[in-house]
Amino acid sequence: MAKERFFLELEPSEAVMKGWPHVVIVGGGFAGLKAAHRLAGQPVRVTLVDKRNFNLFQPLLYQVASGLVSEADVATPLRLLLARAANVQVLLGEVVDLDAAAREVVFNDRRLRYDSLILATGSGSSYFGHEEWRELAPPMKILEHADEIRRRVLTALEEAEQTPDPERCRFLQSVVVVGGGPSGCELAGSINELMRHAARRDFRQLDPGLCRVVLVDPGDRVLRAMDPSLSQAAGDYLVSRGVELVLGGRVQSIEAGRLTVAFKSPAPGTPGERVLEAATICWSAGVRASHLGKLLAERTGCAVDRGGRVVVEPDFSIAGHPEIRVVGDLCSYSHTVDGKPLPGMAGPAVQMGGWVALDLLAQLGGRRQAPFRWFDFGSMAVIGPLCAVADLRGLRFTGPLGWLLWGLAHLAFMPANENRLTLLTKWLWMIATQQRASLLITGRPDQHLGVEVGLERAERAGDPAAPPAVTPAAASTEQPAAA
């Protein structure tokens, strides 16, 4: 007997909406939310589906992990952000399948029909084939990951407060961060300030001199995507604040409290491997596309690159299915001047989502939309209190001015005014008092690491019902950040 099919349709609040085209957006991140905002108030019915009920401002997750701000400061409920859009419906659930021929997506054991589909499910963390490292070195992609990192760092300091053995204290007061990109540098710098300040001011038995933060990256410098002068400035600042840089080495193994780094070309007289011992190990090295990319490739035959990102046409559609658009970190968009895929950052994602929404409206109106052109505002990273590096289209800034530009840019991208106000208040409070507002230890050990649902859970469990792995049809020229 065939499985009964349920059809969930958006019930418009006004009769006129029933004849409007139905646009389904999967994912409420930077790209999906921007598309929904652009379609708000337009003659289309919009359904936004996400497995979380909030929009997460990922660039500031490291501040949650290091106790600078709380979870609510970087996350805003999607219903709150879209409350005034009468033509937009928000539904909680994870899309676990799709039928391109019938134009339906499957979630919560129901089917939702669409006229146009926008997939914007983002990316996760990659351990380059070593998933067993995930529990030993948590990534930093969702709120629960940031909570787990904060819990591990603070719990280690609490144990060190009661430990008479100096070597054990040194181990407990040590943190290793893998990955020297913006997230890794920001996390290492912020945790370093947290531990040293806490050891001096909040704990009575800790020796600040035993605090140690090590940043590991396979390249010859941190922030390799930036200009070498900014990389040098960032590296010099981190070292001056006590962060140890281990460059040119790749992670070979991770065990509980122990990480082994292998060097391809060690300096004469130095060993080819180095063992780092630390109570807390964090991972910010690799990125992989959402599992929905492999599912889409299985169901439609579209191409994906070796990172799992969907290869898209100039209008972000996939071959043979102009009604399906893929944006944000899930897509591999190489229709650029230099032929290089757009980076997986907030700026490109916002521009992609906005352009696709306008293109859909142009098609409905019988018009042609101007081709997509990404405007590169630049890149930046904060590396310490009142210190950041910024490269804004060739204009390079460091120190307090770089931090000011970084702060203004992040406040501008924040989708809710309430979050802008609370973040600004907490940043100013931190500058004035050196006190962090969110140093709570919550939850049970490791409970935050098993939050993956749906496609991820099925794939890791080897569920035979899960979509089979797809052989990449198009290789990317981008190299992994670290391994």
Side-chain angles (χ1 to χ4, degrees), residues 214-231:
V214 183
L215 182 61
V216 179
D217 190 85
D220 58 353
R221 57 189 175 96
V222 298
L223 300 175
R224 282 177 286 160
M226 288 190 173
D227 184 82
S229 64
L230 295 181
S231 294

Side-chain angles (χ1 to χ4, degrees), residues 83-124:
R84 296 185 179 181
N87 65 318
V88 179
Q89 171 86 351
V90 178
L91 298 177
L92 180 66
E94 182 181 22
V95 171
V96 296
D97 206 350
L98 59 89
D99 186 337
R103 296 194 177 188
E104 295 172 346
V105 293
V106 180
F107 73 104
N108 296 345
D109 294 325
R110 296 184 174 94
R111 289 176 176 259
L112 181 65
R113 294 173 179 172
Y114 61 83
D115 295 302
S116 296
L117 176 64
I118 301 176
L119 299 178
T121 50
S123 62

Side-chain angles (χ1 to χ4, degrees), residues 26 31 118-124 287-294 296 302-318 324-336 340-345 348-353 355-356 372 374 474 476 478:
V26 183
I118 301 176
L119 299 178
T121 50
S123 62
V287 176
R288 55 130 182 93
S290 161
H291 292 260
L292 198 59
K294 291 199 296 184
L296 182 65
C302 69
V304 295
D305 67 15
R306 66 180 181 182
R309 297 178 298 179
V310 178
V311 178
V312 297
E313 303 293 330
D315 63 351
F316 297 94
S317 66
I318 60 175
I324 299 178
R325 311 290 186 103
V326 185
V327 294
D329 290 359
L330 183 58
C331 83
S332 176
Y333 187 91
S334 301
H335 308 280
T336 54
K340 295 181 179 179
L342 292 182
M345 299 189 301
V350 169
Q351 294 179 44
M352 292 178 196
W355 186 90
V356 165
F372 176 77
W374 172 52
S476 169
E478 186 177 359

Side-chain angles (χ1 to χ4, degrees), residues 68-385:
L68 275 170
V69 300
S70 66
E71 293 89 339
D73 296 325
V74 298
T76 310
L78 289 168
R79 293 186 183 279
L80 178 64
L81 293 171
L82 297 166
R84 296 185 179 181
N87 65 318
V88 179
Q89 171 86 351
V90 178
L91 298 177
L92 180 66
E94 182 181 22
V95 171
V96 296
D97 206 350
L98 59 89
D99 186 337
R103 296 194 177 188
E104 295 172 346
V105 293
V106 180
F107 73 104
N108 296 345
D109 294 325
R110 296 184 174 94
R111 289 176 176 259
L112 181 65
R113 294 173 179 172
Y114 61 83
D115 295 302
S116 296
L117 176 64
I118 301 176
L119 299 178
T121 50
S123 62
S125 297
S126 170
Y127 286 78
F128 308 113
H130 293 278
E131 281 300 315
E132 70 275 11
W133 294 351
R134 183 177 294 268
E135 293 186 2
L136 301 170
M140 195 174 58
K141 277 293 184 179
I142 58 178
L143 278 177
E144 287 83 355
H145 294 159
D147 287 338
E148 178 62 21
I149 292 172
R150 183 184 65 216
R151 189 196 64 78
R152 292 190 183 194
V153 171
L154 295 179
T155 300
L157 293 180
E158 291 289 350
E159 182 180 345
E161 176 79 345
Q162 306 175 44
T163 302
D165 182 4
E167 287 305 313
R168 178 64 179 172
C169 285
R170 186 184 303 277
F171 170 79
L172 292 169
Q173 292 174 233
S174 297
V175 176
V176 174
V177 178
V178 181
S183 295
C185 288
E186 290 171 340
L187 181 61
S190 192
I191 287 182
N192 181 66
E193 295 297 328
L194 161 65
M195 291 203 308
R196 294 181 183 278
H197 177 75
R200 286 194 304 267
R201 182 169 174 173
D202 301 331
F203 291 84
R204 299 294 179 261
Q205 304 298 323
L206 297 188
D207 179 1
L210 297 182
C211 293
R212 182 190 186 203
V213 175
V214 183
L215 182 61
V216 179
D217 190 85
D220 58 353
R221 57 189 175 96
V222 298
L223 300 175
R224 282 177 286 160
M226 288 190 173
D227 184 82
S229 64
L230 295 181
S231 294
Q232 183 67 40
D236 290 346
Y237 178 86
L238 289 172
V239 170
S240 72
R241 303 294 287 191
V243 176
E244 181 181 350
L245 303 183
V246 176
L247 304 176
R250 294 184 179 274
V251 177
Q252 291 297 104
S253 65
I254 299 180
E255 305 168 28
R258 184 184 179 94
L259 180 145
T260 302
V261 182
F263 300 92
K264 184 177 181 180
S265 302
T270 60
E273 286 189 351
R274 182 176 175 185
V275 176
L276 301 173
E277 294 186 347
T280 305
I281 302 174
C282 309
W283 185 271
S284 66
V287 176
R288 55 130 182 93
S290 161
H291 292 260
L292 198 59
K294 291 199 296 184
L295 175 65
L296 182 65
E298 172 66 18
R299 299 297 183 256
T300 66
C302 69
V304 295
D305 67 15
R306 66 180 181 182
R309 297 178 298 179
V310 178
V311 178
V312 297
E313 303 293 330
D315 63 351
F316 297 94
S317 66
I318 60 175
H321 292 277
E323 76 282 0
I324 299 178
R325 311 290 186 103
V326 185
V327 294
D329 290 359
L330 183 58
C331 83
S332 176
Y333 187 91
S334 301
H335 308 280
T336 54
V337 176
D338 56 9
K340 295 181 179 179
L342 292 182
M345 299 189 301
V350 169
Q351 294 179 44
M352 292 178 196
W355 186 90
V356 165
L358 292 177
D359 191 54
L360 291 177
L361 295 175
Q363 289 184 1
L364 293 175
R367 306 185 308 275
R368 291 181 62 86
Q369 172 80 347
F372 176 77
R373 292 291 182 270
W374 172 52
F375 185 84
D376 185 5
F377 288 97
S379 57
M380 53 186 65
V382 61
I383 51 178

